[in-house]
Amino acid sequence: LNANPAVKVYIVGHTDNTGTLVNNLALSKARAESIKKYLTTTAKIDANRLLSDGVASLCPLGNNSTEDGRKLNRRVEIVKQ
């Protein structure tokens, strides 16, 4: 992002399906916000270039019936706008 100052990104938090949707939504949003905070404070990226949100367990990569699958689903993705 420092090398490409015109680039804007979405920071999307994800969870596995353990727990309630309400709690997972809050957790996924907190994960995304944590990355945004790191990028603005440590990497000195302008906050206007970053949007963050969470989608809970709605976009799984792995199978939530296995621990390996759940590990894949607990993540943050950074997507170019």
Side-chain angles (χ1 to χ4, degrees), residues 14-21 24 27 31 55-75:
H14 299 267
T15 66
D16 61 26
N17 68 347
T18 305
T20 68
L21 180 60
N24 284 336
L27 175 58
R31 283 183 176 154
V55 295
S57 59
L58 300 177
C59 301
L61 286 180
N63 185 335
N64 277 306
S65 65
T66 68
E67 182 56 31
D68 286 340
R70 288 188 294 273
K71 284 180 185 178
L72 286 173
N73 295 332
R74 297 186 295 258
R75 68 191 189 280

Short mmCIF file of all heavy atoms in Angstrom, two decimals, residues 14-21 24 27 31 55-75:
data_model
loop_
_atom_site.label_atom_id
_atom_site.label_comp_id
_atom_site.label_asym_id
_atom_site.label_seq_id
_atom_site.Cartn_x
_atom_site.Cartn_y
_atom_site.Cartn_z
N HIS A 14 -13.48 -12.64 8.90
CA HIS A 14 -14.27 -13.86 8.78
C HIS A 14 -14.13 -14.67 10.06
O HIS A 14 -13.16 -14.53 10.80
CB HIS A 14 -13.77 -14.72 7.62
CG HIS A 14 -13.85 -14.06 6.29
ND1 HIS A 14 -14.93 -14.20 5.46
CD2 HIS A 14 -12.98 -13.26 5.64
CE1 HIS A 14 -14.72 -13.51 4.33
NE2 HIS A 14 -13.53 -12.92 4.43
N THR A 15 -15.09 -15.57 10.31
CA THR A 15 -15.03 -16.50 11.42
C THR A 15 -15.45 -17.89 10.95
O THR A 15 -15.97 -18.03 9.83
CB THR A 15 -15.99 -16.11 12.57
OG1 THR A 15 -17.34 -16.22 12.10
CG2 THR A 15 -15.73 -14.71 13.07
N ASP A 16 -15.27 -18.89 11.81
CA ASP A 16 -15.89 -20.18 11.56
C ASP A 16 -17.34 -20.09 12.05
O ASP A 16 -17.81 -19.02 12.42
CB ASP A 16 -15.10 -21.32 12.22
CG ASP A 16 -15.01 -21.19 13.73
OD1 ASP A 16 -15.90 -20.56 14.34
OD2 ASP A 16 -14.06 -21.72 14.30
N ASN A 17 -18.05 -21.21 12.04
CA ASN A 17 -19.46 -21.16 12.43
C ASN A 17 -19.69 -21.54 13.89
O ASN A 17 -20.83 -21.75 14.31
CB ASN A 17 -20.32 -22.03 11.52
CG ASN A 17 -20.04 -23.50 11.68
OD1 ASN A 17 -19.06 -23.91 12.30
ND2 ASN A 17 -20.90 -24.33 11.10
N THR A 18 -18.63 -21.60 14.69
CA THR A 18 -18.77 -21.88 16.12
C THR A 18 -19.33 -20.65 16.82
O THR A 18 -18.84 -19.55 16.61
CB THR A 18 -17.40 -22.25 16.72
OG1 THR A 18 -16.85 -23.33 15.98
CG2 THR A 18 -17.53 -22.64 18.17
N GLY A 19 -20.35 -20.83 17.62
CA GLY A 19 -20.97 -19.71 18.32
C GLY A 19 -22.14 -19.14 17.54
O GLY A 19 -22.55 -19.68 16.50
N THR A 20 -22.66 -18.04 18.03
CA THR A 20 -23.84 -17.44 17.40
C THR A 20 -23.44 -16.50 16.27
O THR A 20 -22.32 -15.98 16.24
CB THR A 20 -24.66 -16.63 18.43
OG1 THR A 20 -23.90 -15.48 18.83
CG2 THR A 20 -25.04 -17.48 19.64
N LEU A 21 -24.37 -16.28 15.37
CA LEU A 21 -24.12 -15.36 14.27
C LEU A 21 -23.84 -13.95 14.79
O LEU A 21 -22.94 -13.27 14.30
CB LEU A 21 -25.30 -15.35 13.30
CG LEU A 21 -25.17 -14.43 12.09
CD1 LEU A 21 -23.96 -14.81 11.25
CD2 LEU A 21 -26.43 -14.45 11.26
N ASN A 24 -20.31 -13.92 16.15
CA ASN A 24 -19.34 -14.05 15.07
C ASN A 24 -19.28 -12.80 14.21
O ASN A 24 -18.20 -12.44 13.72
CB ASN A 24 -19.65 -15.28 14.22
CG ASN A 24 -19.23 -16.55 14.90
OD1 ASN A 24 -18.35 -16.55 15.76
ND2 ASN A 24 -19.85 -17.65 14.53
N LEU A 27 -17.14 -10.44 16.20
CA LEU A 27 -15.76 -10.88 16.16
C LEU A 27 -15.12 -10.59 14.80
O LEU A 27 -13.99 -10.10 14.73
CB LEU A 27 -15.67 -12.38 16.47
CG LEU A 27 -14.30 -13.03 16.37
CD1 LEU A 27 -13.29 -12.36 17.29
CD2 LEU A 27 -14.42 -14.52 16.66
N ARG A 31 -11.92 -8.20 14.08
CA ARG A 31 -10.71 -8.66 13.38
C ARG A 31 -10.34 -7.70 12.27
O ARG A 31 -9.17 -7.32 12.13
CB ARG A 31 -10.94 -10.06 12.79
CG ARG A 31 -10.88 -11.14 13.78
CD ARG A 31 -11.04 -12.51 13.14
NE ARG A 31 -10.86 -13.52 14.17
CZ ARG A 31 -11.38 -14.72 14.13
NH1 ARG A 31 -12.11 -15.11 13.09
NH2 ARG A 31 -11.17 -15.57 15.11
N VAL A 55 -17.99 -10.34 8.03
CA VAL A 55 -19.08 -11.11 7.44
C VAL A 55 -19.34 -12.42 8.19
O VAL A 55 -20.02 -13.30 7.68
CB VAL A 55 -18.82 -11.39 5.94
CG1 VAL A 55 -18.83 -10.10 5.14
CG2 VAL A 55 -17.53 -12.15 5.72
N ALA A 56 -18.79 -12.52 9.41
CA ALA A 56 -18.98 -13.70 10.26
C ALA A 56 -18.59 -14.98 9.51
O ALA A 56 -17.53 -15.04 8.92
CB ALA A 56 -20.41 -13.74 10.79
N SER A 57 -19.48 -15.96 9.51
CA SER A 57 -19.19 -17.26 8.89
C SER A 57 -19.86 -17.42 7.54
O SER A 57 -20.01 -18.53 7.03
CB SER A 57 -19.64 -18.38 9.82
OG SER A 57 -21.04 -18.27 10.07
N LEU A 58 -20.26 -16.32 6.92
CA LEU A 58 -21.05 -16.38 5.69
C LEU A 58 -20.27 -16.73 4.43
O LEU A 58 -20.88 -17.08 3.42
CB LEU A 58 -21.80 -15.05 5.50
CG LEU A 58 -22.77 -14.69 6.63
CD1 LEU A 58 -23.39 -13.33 6.38
CD2 LEU A 58 -23.83 -15.76 6.80
N CYS A 59 -18.95 -16.65 4.46
CA CYS A 59 -18.13 -16.93 3.28
C CYS A 59 -17.01 -17.91 3.64
O CYS A 59 -15.82 -17.55 3.61
CB CYS A 59 -17.54 -15.64 2.72
SG CYS A 59 -18.75 -14.42 2.25
N PRO A 60 -17.34 -19.14 3.96
CA PRO A 60 -16.30 -20.08 4.39
C PRO A 60 -15.39 -20.52 3.25
O PRO A 60 -15.82 -20.62 2.10
CB PRO A 60 -17.10 -21.28 4.93
CG PRO A 60 -18.38 -21.23 4.17
CD PRO A 60 -18.66 -19.76 3.95
N LEU A 61 -14.13 -20.76 3.58
CA LEU A 61 -13.18 -21.38 2.64
C LEU A 61 -13.12 -22.89 2.89
O LEU A 61 -12.94 -23.66 1.96
CB LEU A 61 -11.78 -20.81 2.82
CG LEU A 61 -11.50 -19.43 2.31
CD1 LEU A 61 -10.05 -19.05 2.57
CD2 LEU A 61 -11.79 -19.33 0.83
N GLY A 62 -13.21 -23.26 4.16
CA GLY A 62 -13.08 -24.66 4.54
C GLY A 62 -14.38 -25.21 5.09
O GLY A 62 -15.34 -24.49 5.33
N ASN A 63 -14.37 -26.51 5.32
CA ASN A 63 -15.52 -27.20 5.87
C ASN A 63 -15.56 -26.98 7.38
O ASN A 63 -14.63 -27.35 8.09
CB ASN A 63 -15.41 -28.69 5.54
CG ASN A 63 -16.61 -29.47 5.96
OD1 ASN A 63 -17.33 -29.10 6.87
ND2 ASN A 63 -16.83 -30.59 5.29
N ASN A 64 -16.62 -26.40 7.88
CA ASN A 64 -16.73 -26.10 9.30
C ASN A 64 -16.93 -27.34 10.18
O ASN A 64 -16.96 -27.23 11.40
CB ASN A 64 -17.85 -25.10 9.56
CG ASN A 64 -17.40 -23.67 9.34
OD1 ASN A 64 -16.42 -23.23 9.92
ND2 ASN A 64 -18.11 -22.96 8.49
N SER A 65 -17.04 -28.50 9.58
CA SER A 65 -17.21 -29.71 10.39
C SER A 65 -15.87 -30.31 10.83
O SER A 65 -15.84 -31.27 11.59
CB SER A 65 -18.03 -30.76 9.63
OG SER A 65 -17.32 -31.19 8.48
N THR A 66 -14.75 -29.72 10.36
CA THR A 66 -13.43 -30.19 10.78
C THR A 66 -12.63 -29.03 11.36
O THR A 66 -12.85 -27.86 11.00
CB THR A 66 -12.63 -30.78 9.60
OG1 THR A 66 -12.29 -29.73 8.69
CG2 THR A 66 -13.41 -31.87 8.86
N GLU A 67 -11.69 -29.33 12.26
CA GLU A 67 -10.86 -28.27 12.84
C GLU A 67 -10.01 -27.59 11.77
O GLU A 67 -9.85 -26.37 11.78
CB GLU A 67 -9.97 -28.81 13.96
CG GLU A 67 -9.11 -27.74 14.63
CD GLU A 67 -9.88 -26.56 15.20
OE1 GLU A 67 -11.03 -26.73 15.63
OE2 GLU A 67 -9.33 -25.45 15.21
N ASP A 68 -9.47 -28.36 10.83
CA ASP A 68 -8.68 -27.76 9.75
C ASP A 68 -9.53 -26.80 8.91
O ASP A 68 -9.07 -25.73 8.51
CB ASP A 68 -8.06 -28.83 8.86
CG ASP A 68 -6.90 -29.54 9.53
OD1 ASP A 68 -6.33 -28.99 10.49
OD2 ASP A 68 -6.57 -30.66 9.10
N GLY A 69 -10.76 -27.18 8.64
CA GLY A 69 -11.66 -26.30 7.88
C GLY A 69 -12.00 -25.05 8.66
O GLY A 69 -12.01 -23.95 8.10
N ARG A 70 -12.27 -25.19 9.95
CA ARG A 70 -12.57 -24.02 10.78
C ARG A 70 -11.38 -23.07 10.85
O ARG A 70 -11.55 -21.85 10.83
CB ARG A 70 -13.02 -24.45 12.18
CG ARG A 70 -14.41 -25.08 12.20
CD ARG A 70 -14.92 -25.34 13.60
NE ARG A 70 -14.14 -26.34 14.31
CZ ARG A 70 -14.34 -27.66 14.24
NH1 ARG A 70 -15.30 -28.15 13.48
NH2 ARG A 70 -13.58 -28.48 14.95
N LYS A 71 -10.16 -23.62 10.91
CA LYS A 71 -8.96 -22.77 10.92
C LYS A 71 -8.88 -21.92 9.65
O LYS A 71 -8.51 -20.75 9.70
CB LYS A 71 -7.70 -23.62 11.04
CG LYS A 71 -7.46 -24.15 12.42
CD LYS A 71 -6.19 -24.99 12.45
CE LYS A 71 -5.97 -25.64 13.79
NZ LYS A 71 -4.76 -26.49 13.80
N LEU A 72 -9.22 -22.51 8.51
CA LEU A 72 -9.21 -21.76 7.24
C LEU A 72 -10.23 -20.62 7.26
O LEU A 72 -10.02 -19.59 6.61
CB LEU A 72 -9.53 -22.68 6.07
CG LEU A 72 -8.45 -23.64 5.62
CD1 LEU A 72 -9.01 -24.59 4.56
CD2 LEU A 72 -7.26 -22.89 5.07
N ASN A 73 -11.31 -20.83 7.97
CA ASN A 73 -12.39 -19.84 7.97
C ASN A 73 -12.16 -18.68 8.92
O ASN A 73 -12.78 -17.63 8.78
CB ASN A 73 -13.72 -20.54 8.28
CG ASN A 73 -14.08 -21.52 7.19
OD1 ASN A 73 -13.70 -21.34 6.04
ND2 ASN A 73 -14.79 -22.56 7.55
N ARG A 74 -11.26 -18.84 9.87
CA ARG A 74 -10.92 -17.75 10.81
C ARG A 74 -9.79 -16.93 10.19
O ARG A 74 -8.62 -17.28 10.32
CB ARG A 74 -10.52 -18.33 12.16
CG ARG A 74 -11.65 -19.09 12.84
CD ARG A 74 -11.28 -19.55 14.24
NE ARG A 74 -10.22 -20.53 14.29
CZ ARG A 74 -10.39 -21.84 14.47
NH1 ARG A 74 -11.60 -22.34 14.58
NH2 ARG A 74 -9.35 -22.63 14.53
N ARG A 75 -10.16 -15.85 9.51
CA ARG A 75 -9.17 -15.12 8.72
C ARG A 75 -9.60 -13.68 8.48
O ARG A 75 -10.73 -13.31 8.75
CB ARG A 75 -8.95 -15.80 7.37
CG ARG A 75 -10.18 -15.70 6.47
CD ARG A 75 -10.10 -16.59 5.25
NE ARG A 75 -11.17 -16.33 4.30
CZ ARG A 75 -12.41 -16.78 4.40
NH1 ARG A 75 -12.79 -17.50 5.43
NH2 ARG A 75 -13.31 -16.48 3.48
#
